[in-house]
Amino acid sequence: MPALYNLERAGALPADTRIVGFSRTPMSDDVWRASLRDTTARHCDCGPVDDASWAAFAARIHYQAGDIGKPEDFAKLDRRLAELEAGAAATRVYYLATAPQFYEPIVTSLGAHGMAAEAHGPRRIVVEKPFGTDLSTARALNAHLHSVFHENQVFRIDHYLGKESVQNILALRFANTIFEPVWNRRYIDHVQITVAEEVKVGRRGAYYDTAGVLRDMFQNHLLQLLMVTAMEAPVRFDATAVRNEKVKVLEAIRPLDLAEVAAAGVRGQYRGYLDDPGVAPGSQTATFGAVRLEIDNWRWQGVPFYLRSGKAMSCRTTQIVIGFRQPPLELFAEGRRTFHREPNRLVIQIQPAEGIQLHFHTKVPGEGMRLRLTDLEFSYSREFQGRLPEAYEPLLLDVLTGDASLFARSDEVEKSWEIIDPFVRAWHSVDMPPIDAYESGDWGPLASAEWMAAQGRAWFDMCPVLT
Ligand code: BG6
């Protein structure tokens, strides 16, 4: 709702857009409008809600009481929507802002009432995460959706793809010529993708304890970041071409057996997690995870992709670090020491402050060839005025216009689960040693740094490089 309101204020909503709430509590349009004004004011990153823009927005808002469990209530909803459309052809978007167990009954009822048929304009459905809890549930949900909707009507939302700085990875790679020649195994040693959060699970313990970091962050957000970092240039910028290239990345990820999976990752749990409401006693759920994936294709063979995410970490930062190889010859080593100078890096900071930093060595003025790592920096806030749109804003507009480029396709979601499922199984296997604890404010358990060191690498444990 804050995203829609921001679009309203930016004049970006199509003129005759209507927003219809559907839920059990009986209430009038006006009561719902008033409660939305209140929650929008509290949750919108848009300053005070002003009367004039709210009045224009509120005029678009309607409410229809109904119960997802009562199929006949969908007939009422359909009639209400038809009334608002006043006989004209219209685009309808059904947005499932519900708990995931309601997805299937909603889809069934929409189908039973002919509400997916496109005789009077496009009909689209938006599905939030979690999209299933493993490969088989994701397949079942896809099959159910496809029994009523065509794939091109289904929009599986992952808000990471709506972030400006994530979309900018595509611009960085495919609107420039200077990065692409080095974007491969010849120049890149490894890639690190980190989504660190300071927050703990808070009141989401009951959900989180069944999901853990793998299902909550890896299957969706982290793999999406990996795909846009690793994909080939699409032949054109449309939903089919972009998603074909993304899926090819997932297809090239080396499958691992159970023993390999255990060695290809580290898990941890912040101290105090077991006292959070909703968490099962003695829970072994990971609130931190790091995994190593190998992409078996010409571009990336031998370049590990390290994915890591955790709650209660030292700061909030999402960054992709492209770690380059060392120069083939060290001209400026002191004495005969083997050199272990920090390699060049490209740090793409997704949030909190958005931008890019290139790290390279420079001669320190003065005697000798003393070197220091310095950087070139691009910062969104310095370069562009005004607020950046929240991730949901471009995504909602894309649904309205039918552009699915930034939404997950059915095969993409299933492939993602295929990659993450073995880690979930291994991390929950009874053969696993008890999970490592870490203190809030650490970068995960000590084992994580040791695991990297054993591979001759180090995490880039840096709180946002840009502020
Ligand atoms: C959600 C997860 O999908 O993404 C949350 O369920 C997580 O656990 C959130 O906190 C992170 O999103 P963002 O945009 O704040 O990085």
Side-chain angles (χ1 to χ4, degrees):
M1 218 29 101
L4 289 168
Y5 175 59
N6 274 328
L7 290 172
E8 167 78 44
R9 291 220 295 201
L13 279 181
D16 44 5
T17 304
R18 296 279 176 275
I19 301 156
V20 183
F22 181 66
S23 191
R24 284 175 304 180
T25 314
M27 65 181 141
S28 65
D29 289 356
D30 280 338
V31 170
W32 196 47
R33 288 170 183 150
S35 90
L36 286 177
R37 178 164 184 165
D38 188 43
T39 47
T40 302
R42 275 188 283 130
H43 297 291
C44 186
D45 164 34
C46 57
V49 170
D50 64 280
D51 287 344
S53 67
W54 185 264
F57 186 55
R60 302 179 182 279
I61 297 176
H62 307 272
Y63 184 81
Q64 172 66 43
D67 188 336
I68 290 167
K70 292 188 183 146
E72 65 275 19
D73 284 0
F74 282 78
K76 290 187 202 152
L77 175 63
D78 194 32
R79 275 200 299 276
R80 183 77 192 276
L81 295 176
E83 256 168 53
L84 291 167
E85 289 157 6
T91 300
R92 279 193 198 173
V93 175
Y94 305 114
Y95 195 113
L96 306 192
T98 71
Q101 66 266 31
F102 299 120
Y103 295 169
E104 294 208 10
I106 294 172
V107 169
T108 304
S109 289
L110 290 173
H113 291 87
M115 293 168 79
E118 297 198 296
H120 301 291
R123 300 291 182 259
R124 303 187 181 121
I125 185 162
V126 181
V127 187
E128 281 271 1
K129 72 174 268 264
F131 195 94
T133 54
D134 58 13
L135 177 59
S136 70
T137 49
R139 272 193 186 140
L141 181 52
N142 273 333
H144 193 70
L145 279 162
H146 291 155
S147 69
V148 172
F149 290 92
H150 294 293
E151 175 60 25
N152 64 11
Q153 295 174 280
V154 182
F155 289 69
R156 296 171 194 80
I157 208 161
D158 183 316
H159 76 283
Y160 264 63
L161 289 176
K163 292 181 190 277
E164 280 293 331
S165 44
V166 174
Q167 294 178 58
N168 190 45
I169 299 171
L170 297 174
L172 176 83
R173 295 194 50 205
F174 304 131
N176 297 298
T177 51
I178 55 173
F179 298 107
E180 207 46 29
V182 296
W183 210 264
N184 56 52
R185 62 194 298 273
R186 189 146 176 230
Y187 293 96
I188 295 177
D189 173 72
H190 73 281
V191 176
Q192 297 183 17
I193 302 180
T194 296
V195 181
E197 296 184 279
E198 264 182 287
V199 291
K200 300 184 177 179
V201 300
R203 286 182 303 164
R204 299 167 77 217
Y207 149 73
Y208 193 89
D209 205 40
T210 60
V213 70
L214 288 172
R215 290 187 171 111
D216 189 49
M217 299 297 289
F218 278 71
Q219 178 270 332
N220 34 68
H221 310 322
L222 279 117
L223 284 182
Q224 287 295 344
L225 295 178
L226 178 144
M227 283 184 260
V228 290
T229 307
M231 68 191 272
E232 298 299 317
V235 287
R236 72 193 85 74
F237 192 49
D238 69 21
T240 305
V242 169
R243 298 190 295 180
N244 283 349
E245 294 307 333
K246 286 171 64 190
V247 170
K248 280 189 209 161
V249 174
L250 298 182
E251 280 170 348
I253 291 181
R254 187 181 306 161
L256 303 172
D257 65 28
L258 212 60
E260 290 167 329
V261 163
V266 180
R267 63 197 184 125
Q269 189 185 78
Y270 64 80
R271 229 179 269 290
Y273 172 73
L274 296 176
D275 301 326
D276 287 338
V279 172
S283 167
Q284 292 290 294
T285 296
T287 61
F288 168 91
V291 310
R292 170 189 163 122
L293 298 174
E294 303 277 350
I295 303 177
D296 287 334
N297 64 17
W298 277 57
R299 184 188 288 269
W300 295 118
Q301 178 65 42
V303 180
F305 278 68
Y306 295 98
L307 274 49
R308 138 178 104 147
S309 181
K311 303 260 185 228
M313 305 269 282
S314 50
C315 59
R316 174 171 182 252
T317 183
T318 296
Q319 47 202 22
I320 299 172
V321 179
I322 311 293
F324 289 93
R325 288 183 186 281
Q326 298 282 16
L329 187 67
E330 174 52 298
L331 288 182
F332 310 116
E334 286 154 33
R336 291 190 147 271
R337 272 194 298 130
T338 31
F339 78 104
H340 43 78
R341 185 167 292 138
E342 285 189 78
N344 295 145
R345 288 185 209 101
L346 185 73
V347 182
I348 303 170
Q349 191 168 297
I350 307 294
Q351 58 190 23
E354 296 80 359
I356 297 172
Q357 248 186 20
L358 180 64
H359 296 181
F360 58 98
H361 291 279
T362 310
K363 180 186 174 310
V364 178
E367 63 184 79
M369 286 301 286
R370 234 169 16 97
L371 305 183
R372 204 182 77 196
L373 203 65
T374 48
D375 61 69
L376 280 174
E377 186 171 289
F378 154 69
S379 145
Y380 267 81
S381 62
R382 274 205 305 273
E383 196 68 27
F384 301 109
Q385 266 68 57
R387 62 179 280 282
L388 285 184
E390 283 292 330
Y392 278 91
E393 297 170 31
L395 293 177
L396 287 171
L397 279 185
D398 283 353
V399 181
L400 291 178
T401 55
D403 181 352
S405 315
L406 298 176
F407 293 80
R409 208 165 58 186
S410 57
D411 51 348
E412 200 175 319
V413 171
E414 291 180 15
K415 276 273 158 214
S416 305
W417 278 118
E418 229 171 289
I419 293 159
I420 295 304
D421 270 1
F423 285 93
V424 176
R425 271 200 298 279
W427 289 12
H428 287 100
S429 127
V430 286
D431 302 331
M432 278 302 261
I435 194 161
D436 285 330
Y438 62 96
E439 301 297 335
S440 299
D442 282 354
W443 287 92
L446 197 60
S448 165
E450 291 169 350
W451 176 72
M452 272 302 245
Q455 298 170 66
R457 301 192 173 92
W459 288 114
F460 183 65
D461 282 347
M462 193 69 82
C463 278
V465 292
L466 296 153
T467 47

